[in-house]
C-alpha cells in the first residue's frame, strides 16, 4: 500500500479522535519500522533522529494531501499545537483499507495507535528512545 493510505489507516484507527504531532510521528514511525511489508516498494517513510526522536517531514506532506482530499482535518488544539484527525469520509476509507489488511497488521496498528494516544508527550518520547536509542541522536528532549 502507498504510504498515504497507510497513514490514513493509522489515523483512522483512532476512530475520529485526534493526534498531536508527536503522536502522529511516533505511530507512523512504529508502523513503518515494524510492518515494512505493509508499504509498496519505495513508499516507506524515511525517519531520522530529530528534536524529539524519529521524524519525517513527509508525514505532514501526506497529511496535507489527505486534507486536500477531505479525508483528514487539522486545527489548533487546546495546547496550541496542530492536531490531526480523519473526517467521516476519511474514517470510511480507513476502514476499507484496514479491511484489506491481514489480521496481524490491523491489530498491530490498532494497538500502536491506542498506545501512542494513551501516553503523555514526555512518556511517549522517552519510551521511543528506550526502544530505539539511535533515534535520540539529535534530541533536545531531557526527559
Amino acid at each position: 500500500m502507498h504510504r498515504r493510505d497507510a497513514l490514513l489507516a493509522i489515523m483512522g484507527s483512532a476512530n475520529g479522535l485526534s493526534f498531536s504531532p508527536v503522536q502522529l510521528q511516533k505511530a507512523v514511525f512504529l508502523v513503518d519500522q515494524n510492518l515494512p511489508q505493509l508499504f509498496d516498494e519505495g513508499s516507506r517513510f524515511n525517519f531520522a533522529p530529530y528534536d524529539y526522536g524519529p521524524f519525517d517531514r513527509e508525514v505532514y506532506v501526506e497529511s496535507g494531501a489527505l486534507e486536500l482530499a477531505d479525508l483528514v482535518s487539522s486545527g489548533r488544539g487546546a495546547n496550541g499545537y496542530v492536531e490531526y484527525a480523519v473526517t467521516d469520509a476519511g474514517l470510511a476509507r480507513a476502514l476499507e483499507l484496514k479491511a484489506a489488511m491481514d489480521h496481524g497488521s490491523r491489530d498491530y496498528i490498532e494497538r500502536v495507535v491506542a498506545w501512542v494516544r494513551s501516553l503523555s508527550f514526555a512518556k511517549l518520547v522517552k519510551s521511543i528512545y528506550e526502544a530505539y536509542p539511535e533515534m535520540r541522536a539529535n534530541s533536545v528532549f531531557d526527559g
Side-chain angles (χ1 to χ4, degrees), residues 50-65:
Y50 198 61
D51 292 351
Y52 301 101
F55 175 83
D56 186 343
R57 180 180 154 332
E58 291 298 311
V59 171
Y60 299 134
V61 171
E62 297 293 358
S63 295

Side-chain angles (χ1 to χ4, degrees), residues 2-8 11 24 45 57-74 84-87 89-90 93:
H2 188 273
R3 67 184 179 189
R4 187 174 299 160
D5 287 335
L7 175 60
L8 185 60
M11 293 178 74
L24 187 59
F45 289 93
R57 180 180 154 332
E58 291 298 311
V59 171
Y60 299 134
V61 171
E62 297 293 358
S63 295
L66 290 168
E67 191 165 7
L68 288 174
D70 294 322
L71 299 173
V72 165
S73 65
S74 66
Y84 304 87
V86 294
T87 61
R93 178 68 182 133

Side-chain angles (χ1 to χ4, degrees), residues 29-139:
F29 169 74
L30 290 168
V31 171
D32 186 80
Q33 290 296 298
N34 296 302
L35 293 179
Q37 72 279 8
L38 186 69
F39 297 86
D40 293 339
E41 187 172 331
S43 182
R44 289 182 61 198
F45 289 93
N46 186 27
F47 286 90
Y50 198 61
D51 292 351
Y52 301 101
F55 175 83
D56 186 343
R57 180 180 154 332
E58 291 298 311
V59 171
Y60 299 134
V61 171
E62 297 293 358
S63 295
L66 290 168
E67 191 165 7
L68 288 174
D70 294 322
L71 299 173
V72 165
S73 65
S74 66
R76 295 276 171 209
N79 61 8
Y81 291 105
V82 174
E83 292 187 355
Y84 304 87
V86 294
T87 61
D88 290 343
L91 181 56
R93 178 68 182 133
L95 291 172
E96 291 172 4
L97 292 166
K98 287 171 47 180
M101 290 179 194
D102 66 88
H103 176 73
S105 296
R106 189 170 50 246
D107 182 59
Y108 179 77
I109 290 171
E110 290 171 359
R111 285 185 289 120
V112 162
V113 167
W115 182 73
V116 300
R117 293 193 74 262
S118 74
L119 297 176
S120 68
F121 177 93
K123 286 183 181 177
L124 178 55
V125 173
K126 184 177 179 184
S127 294
I128 293 294
Y129 286 164
E130 287 172 0
Y132 300 89
E134 69 279 9
M135 287 295 165
R136 184 185 271 274
N138 298 319
S139 180

